[in-house]
Amino acid sequence: MTSSPAPSRRRWWALGLIAIAQFMVIMDTSIIGVALPRMQEDLGFTPSTLSWVFNAYVIAFGGLLLLGGRLSDLFGARRLFVTGWIILLVGSFVAGAAGDVTIELVGRIVQGAGAALIAPSALTLLMMLFGANPKDLTRALALYGAAAPAGGTAGVFLGGLITQYASWPWVFYINIPIALIAVLAARPLLPGGASGTRGGVDLLGALTATLGLGALVYGIVRAPEAGWAATETLIAIGGGVVLLALFLVIQARSRSPLMPLSIFRAPRLGAANLAQFFLGGAWIPMWFFLNLYLQQVLGYSAFPSGAALLPMTALIMVGMIVLAPRVIARFGMKTPIVAGLVLLAAGLGWLSLVRPDGNFLVDVLPGSLVAALGMSLAFIPSLGTAISAARPDEGGLASGIVNTSYQVGSALGLAAMTALAASFGAEQLGDLPALTDGYSAAFLGSAAVALVGGVLALAFFRRTPAAAPAADPAVEAAG
């Protein structure tokens, strides 16, 4: 990928548009968090099915990201970027106008499909604009990376504001004007043209990956209610595993695979994607259950619940833009990834000590800040390593893989923690000790996910050639 000849000022305006895209597609996973209790009442979700408002989006998003990356390489990143925004706009309208559970989930699936085109094309466009200059690339990746978890956390705050002072459909309608602005701004700001990559589109691979992930998540979420040994559970989980295994077989034999398995021969790419998988698997359940704890146990209304997570947002922004590049310059990529995952585990372990009669300053703030610091340290180096490990002509594919790793980790992590929380009493609405026990179990389970991720990342990075620490200009770029 080569740098765009666009003037410097236009490049940075383009980065703003790309960062907004990343912010929005991740915010759409979290903005519904505070609105969930209202949606449950209005649309008829049960406690065990409520997580599907999140999972429907993430399964479509994660399952189709590889297809989005492939299409970006084939037909041009800007074209896919614009198409994704149009699809997201349609899905947002459907989700906001929904009057029952089925239509709501359809809207969320369409939103996820749009996001699956936006995310990899946005990262490809970033590399096209800044890939030729390491100093500018470090700064661009820091701003882009900060937009993801900041979008996740800020979405909770905006969701609270909108839910309390407007109504829950507006957590979806807010996407519509932003999508229109993105579509109009794309042509004058973003580089056009296709990458020159040839080949077909592996639709069968996309179908098996998406259905396999969906079946696996469905089986895990339903297991506490149906029983782990129930036929329904075994068929869903077994079918999901078989479909995902079939996806790998298809990739190995296809002439134009969605995810050429040879890409994982690139040193450190597998380790970086593993880190992203476990980051998603620990971080997303944290904000999901932290928001429920604030509302259903501490009794916060929608707006205060969202505002309570603003300190995390601020720390993530500072950590990713200022701290992470400096740590990378001093220690290289491996150390902040492993340390970040361990810190995230420590913060989640702290949150597992929540009490039925707790308060924000003692039970929420300290643990959430430690977790946010860990996230801010691990996210940027794992993202940058995953993208830079691939060949330039596989930029869209690498973008799709790393985004897929995070989203699949998010979906499976939330499904597992939802099942764990339910088994410890999280479905007993109104029973504060039981709810707290369930949420505490989910936090502790998420801590274990982050800790396992840290250990595996350390082991996998040791098996790959070491990368040199970033050059001094990276430190200057962060300032």
Side-chain angles (χ1 to χ4, degrees), residues 16 88 236 259 352 454 469:
L88 181 67
M259 183 181 71
S352 72

Side-chain angles (χ1 to χ4, degrees), residues 178-255:
I178 297 172
L180 291 173
I181 291 171
V183 169
L184 293 174
R187 186 172 186 83
L189 291 179
L190 301 176
S195 68
T197 301
R198 298 181 178 228
V201 178
D202 182 12
L203 294 178
L204 182 59
L207 182 64
T208 53
T210 306
L211 292 179
L213 177 60
L216 195 59
V217 170
Y218 176 82
I220 295 172
V221 171
R222 284 282 298 157
E225 183 177 341
W228 286 96
T231 302
E232 174 188 348
T233 304
L234 295 176
I235 289 176
I237 294 178
V241 171
V242 169
L243 284 167
L244 292 175
L246 179 60
F247 167 74
L248 294 178
V249 171
I250 293 169
Q251 301 316 290
R253 296 184 176 182
S254 175
R255 292 184 178 179

Side-chain angles (χ1 to χ4, degrees), residues 25-438:
V25 299
I26 301 301
M27 188 182 77
D28 275 338
T29 67
S30 67
I31 196 169
I32 50 94
V34 178
L36 287 175
R38 303 276 181 88
M39 296 174 68
Q40 183 177 356
E41 295 174 7
D42 291 351
L43 300 181
F45 284 98
T46 65
S48 60
T49 61
L50 189 60
S51 64
W52 280 99
V53 180
F54 172 85
N55 283 330
Y57 177 90
V58 170
I59 288 171
F61 188 9
L64 296 173
L65 270 167
L66 291 175
L67 179 62
R70 177 65 174 164
L71 293 175
S72 177
D73 287 338
L74 285 173
F75 301 112
R78 187 177 70 188
R79 182 177 299 170
L80 265 292
F81 185 82
V82 171
T83 302
W85 276 110
I86 294 171
I87 295 172
L88 181 67
L89 184 155
V90 173
S92 299
F93 177 79
V94 172
D100 58 49
V101 169
T102 301
I103 300 301
E104 180 61 43
L105 296 184
V106 168
R108 290 293 281 167
I109 290 169
V110 175
Q111 281 189 304
L117 300 185
I118 294 171
S121 59
L123 201 46
T124 300
L125 288 163
L126 183 149
M127 296 299 292
M128 292 172 67
L129 289 164
F130 297 96
N133 187 320
K135 177 180 175 180
D136 285 349
L137 179 61
T138 297
R139 189 173 181 183
L141 278 174
L143 291 170
Y144 173 87
T153 307
V156 178
F157 170 72
L158 292 174
L161 185 68
I162 292 168
T163 301
Q164 181 145 337
Y165 295 106
S167 59
W168 66 259
W170 284 96
V171 303
F172 302 114
Y173 292 151
I174 191 176
N175 291 331
I176 295 175
I178 297 172
L180 291 173
I181 291 171
V183 169
L184 293 174
R187 186 172 186 83
L189 291 179
L190 301 176
S195 68
T197 301
R198 298 181 178 228
V201 178
D202 182 12
L203 294 178
L204 182 59
L207 182 64
T208 53
T210 306
L211 292 179
L213 177 60
L216 195 59
V217 170
Y218 176 82
I220 295 172
V221 171
R222 284 282 298 157
E225 183 177 341
W228 286 96
T231 302
E232 174 188 348
T233 304
L234 295 176
I235 289 176
I237 294 178
V241 171
V242 169
L243 284 167
L244 292 175
L246 179 60
F247 167 74
L248 294 178
V249 171
I250 293 169
Q251 301 316 290
R253 296 184 176 182
S254 175
R255 292 184 178 179
S256 300
L258 197 60
M259 183 181 71
L261 300 183
S262 60
I263 194 173
F264 288 102
R265 295 174 188 163
R268 307 171 75 83
L269 185 140
N273 277 278
L274 189 72
Q276 283 279 317
F277 176 88
F278 282 98
L279 278 172
W283 180 260
I284 294 300
M286 184 201 73
W287 71 255
F288 185 87
F289 288 104
L290 187 56
N291 178 65
L292 292 178
Y293 172 74
L294 287 166
Q295 289 194 63
Q296 296 182 346
V297 177
L298 298 189
Y300 282 34
S301 59
F303 176 66
S305 176
L309 301 184
L310 278 180
M312 284 203 313
T313 302
L315 181 57
I316 286 175
M317 294 295 292
V318 172
M320 289 196 173
I321 295 174
V322 178
L323 179 61
R326 285 170 165 77
V327 174
I328 293 169
R330 175 66 179 85
F331 297 104
M333 295 293 193
K334 180 182 75 175
T335 297
I337 292 173
V338 175
L341 281 161
V342 172
L343 274 174
L344 177 56
L348 284 160
W350 198 330
L351 287 171
S352 72
L353 303 176
V354 291
R355 302 163 295 166
D357 58 348
N359 63 72
F360 171 74
L361 292 177
V362 174
D363 294 79
V364 175
L365 184 62
S368 67
L369 290 180
V370 173
L373 179 61
M375 181 64 164
S376 66
L377 282 176
F379 192 88
I380 293 296
S382 57
L383 176 70
T385 300
I387 299 303
S388 61
R391 299 197 314 262
D393 63 329
E394 293 180 326
L397 173 63
S399 303
I401 291 174
V402 70
N403 276 288
T404 298
S405 297
Y406 184 85
Q407 296 303 327
V408 170
S410 300
L412 294 178
L414 182 58
M417 294 311 117
T418 298
L420 182 63
S423 67
F424 277 84
E427 293 202 337
Q428 300 179 37
L429 298 179
D431 185 338
L432 299 189
L435 285 174
T436 305
D437 287 345

